[in-house]
Amino acid sequence: MRTFDIPEFYRSPVIGKVKAIRKTADPRKRDLQPSLLDFGSVRLILPRHFGFCFGVENAIEIAYKAVSENEGKRLWLLSQMIHNPEVNADLESQGIGFLMDTEGRVLTPLDALKPEDVVIVPAFGTTLEIEAKLEAIGVDIQRYNTTCPFVEKVWKRAAQLGEKDYTVVIHGKPSHEETRATFSHSSAHARSMVIRDMAEAEVLAAFVRGERDWRDFEEVFPGRTSPGFEVPQDLQRFGVVNQTTMLASDTQAIADHLKAALMLRDGGSDERFANTRDTLCYATLDNQTATAAALDLARDSADFAVVVGGYNSSNTSHLVELCEEVVPTWFIRGADEFGADGHLGHFDMKSGTHCKTEDWWPSVLRGEVPTVLLTSGASCPDSAVDRVLQQILERCGGGRAVDDVLRLFAKEQATLGA
Ligand code: SF4
């Protein structure tokens, strides 16, 4: 796997070391069991995979290269580079402006751009409409295009489905940059529609099975279909692709549900449903599978979980959902959420609000020392997780020195890998 040149301050002395030790002991990533660090005063469970994925490191490398190669020029990001406040704030401090916010609202009109301006396309990619506007201005959009190859793979697959006369159903958040980009690219080659979740898949399945009146379709799915989309004929044959950070298990469940609806309607023939399993992002799958393995351990031993990541990060919110099913979970953007007075600032996904909780640390522990599952989203630097880890260690006090714990951990892993 390629390694990327990303600024040193995103790397970390503790989490980075744990990952390096695991990589050395198990280079083929066969062992998905979590890492267990015992500090004496607290035990930490770290999933085998978490943090920056291939696409994010690739995007960060290209963005900082754009900064260093274009002194004196105006630099723009189409929208947030990735959904992490720390990364975006640092890029802004380097003089990069944002053209749009995450919902696609204009911050700086494209008309204000000049051909010599440098525009960075984020890891999510962008729509064909925006690409065309930038090209009309004369901006080179390929030089610093950080669109993740795994997102492009989804676009290619959508085009192949279109060639075979399949409609593309995209499982994603309709307003998310990546879903808007995928919808745009897919619509250029195939009839396409977006569904948000299983609840919407169930409604779509009811149409497909003939249980709902097609005349209601437009009202139920307004603005979710490509131009000229017609029902029922455009839902005779289809395949499902996803916004790459959705829960892979959710996408699979949605695909299975829609396939079952088609088969019921067509009397058992499944040739109208295209198999698209191979478009699921490997990094998202690895992170979600590793989180599940860590939760197996946490189920019987952890007092709570801490998930670090941007509050608008799709993949981080899915990790929070997975953790919440098993242990009390705090979703925090970073170490700045630990208040000096002992409160914890965190994001409550149910209400969509930022909260402060005073009594967040459990009063009764499951074991002799606290056990915490610590993880982060694919857009979160390891250095941010390190700072959270330090806060937890300070809170617990005493215990073994970090270097001693890492030395012991390396020894254990070497024995396992031998
Ligand atoms: S989560 Fe997957 S598709 Fe998204 S940026 Fe990372 S590697 Fe690329």
Side-chain angles (χ1 to χ4, degrees), residues 53-56 123 148 150-151 244-245 281 283-284:
C53 60
F54 174 96
V56 165
C148 179
F150 297 102
V151 173
T244 54
T245 49
C281 162
T284 304

Side-chain angles (χ1 to χ4, degrees), residues 135-399:
E135 275 167 357
I137 294 166
V139 171
D140 178 358
I141 54 165
Q142 293 313 327
R143 188 158 175 213
Y144 300 110
N145 183 352
T146 79
T147 307
C148 179
F150 297 102
V151 173
E152 285 176 335
K153 186 176 169 188
V154 173
W155 299 352
K156 278 187 199 133
R157 193 55 191 275
Q160 287 164 356
L161 290 175
E163 276 165 24
K164 292 181 183 157
D165 204 26
Y166 284 103
T167 290
V168 178
V169 176
I170 301 159
H171 169 218
K173 295 177 180 168
S175 64
H176 190 283
E177 290 107 315
E178 186 187 316
T179 297
R180 285 188 276 119
T182 295
F183 180 65
S184 166
H185 285 260
S186 176
S187 298
H189 303 278
R191 295 168 301 270
S192 306
M193 76 171 288
V194 177
I195 55 168
R196 185 192 304 272
D197 50 23
M198 180 53 107
E200 291 195 354
E202 281 170 358
V203 175
L204 181 59
F207 278 110
V208 170
R209 289 192 301 262
E211 294 162 9
R212 287 199 63 159
D213 190 331
W214 286 109
R215 281 174 295 192
D216 297 339
F217 185 83
E218 184 51 39
E219 200 181 315
V220 176
F221 293 110
R224 299 287 193 82
T225 53
S226 52
F229 196 96
E230 287 184 27
V231 289
Q233 54 269 45
D234 287 343
L235 284 166
Q236 297 295 318
R237 291 159 57 80
F238 54 82
V240 177
V241 298
N242 77 355
Q243 176 189 319
T244 54
T245 49
M246 301 306 270
L247 274 180
S249 54
D250 280 359
T251 302
Q252 198 51 55
I254 284 170
D256 291 344
H257 192 72
L258 292 174
K259 181 178 177 182
L262 267 184
M263 288 179 74
L264 195 77
R265 186 188 68 189
D266 294 338
S269 156
D270 65 354
E271 68 195 20
R272 289 170 185 259
F273 192 83
N275 184 350
T276 50
R277 267 174 209 238
D278 58 346
T279 60
L280 293 172
C281 162
Y282 88 94
T284 304
L285 260 179
D286 278 357
N287 281 359
Q288 290 169 3
T289 315
T291 303
L295 283 168
D296 276 347
L297 182 63
R299 183 170 280 109
D300 297 325
S301 60
D303 293 290
F304 61 91
V306 175
V307 182
V308 191
Y311 296 148
N312 58 349
S313 160
S314 172
N315 81 86
T316 313
S317 64
H318 290 308
L319 292 181
V320 173
E321 281 169 23
L322 289 174
C323 291
E324 279 178 340
E325 285 174 15
V326 177
V327 282
T329 300
W330 302 109
F331 180 7
I332 66 172
R333 69 179 164 229
D336 62 320
E337 292 286 31
F338 292 84
D341 59 359
H343 80 260
L344 183 73
H346 59 96
F347 190 71
D348 177 36
M349 293 210 311
K350 286 184 192 77
S351 62
T353 53
H354 183 260
C355 314
K356 280 184 180 177
T357 300
E358 308 293 333
D359 53 349
W360 64 278
W361 193 270
S363 50
V364 180
L365 299 175
R366 300 175 78 180
E368 283 180 16
V369 294
T371 299
V372 182
L373 168 61
L374 177 61
T375 188
S376 68
S379 46
C380 182
D382 285 347
S383 52
V385 185
D386 253 22
R387 290 192 290 274
V388 170
L389 184 149
Q390 293 300 343
Q391 288 286 337
I392 294 171
L393 293 184
E394 274 173 34
R395 164 114 200 181
C396 296

Side-chain angles (χ1 to χ4, degrees), residues 5-7 9-10 52 55-68 73-99 118 120-124 144 146 379 381:
D5 182 16
I6 65 170
F9 55 85
Y10 289 137
F52 279 177
V56 165
E57 293 211 351
N58 178 47
I60 290 176
E61 180 184 86
I62 295 172
Y64 282 91
K65 197 166 148 216
V67 171
S68 68
K73 286 195 179 176
R74 294 199 308 174
L75 272 87
W76 302 97
L77 256 162
L78 270 183
S79 66
Q80 286 199 351
M81 178 72 185
I82 50 176
H83 288 153
N84 185 274
E86 189 181 334
V87 175
N88 289 311
D90 188 65
L91 288 167
E92 265 189 299
S93 75
Q94 307 273 341
I96 296 181
F98 289 87
L99 294 170
V118 176
I120 304 166
V121 178
F124 319 108
Y144 300 110
T146 79
S379 46

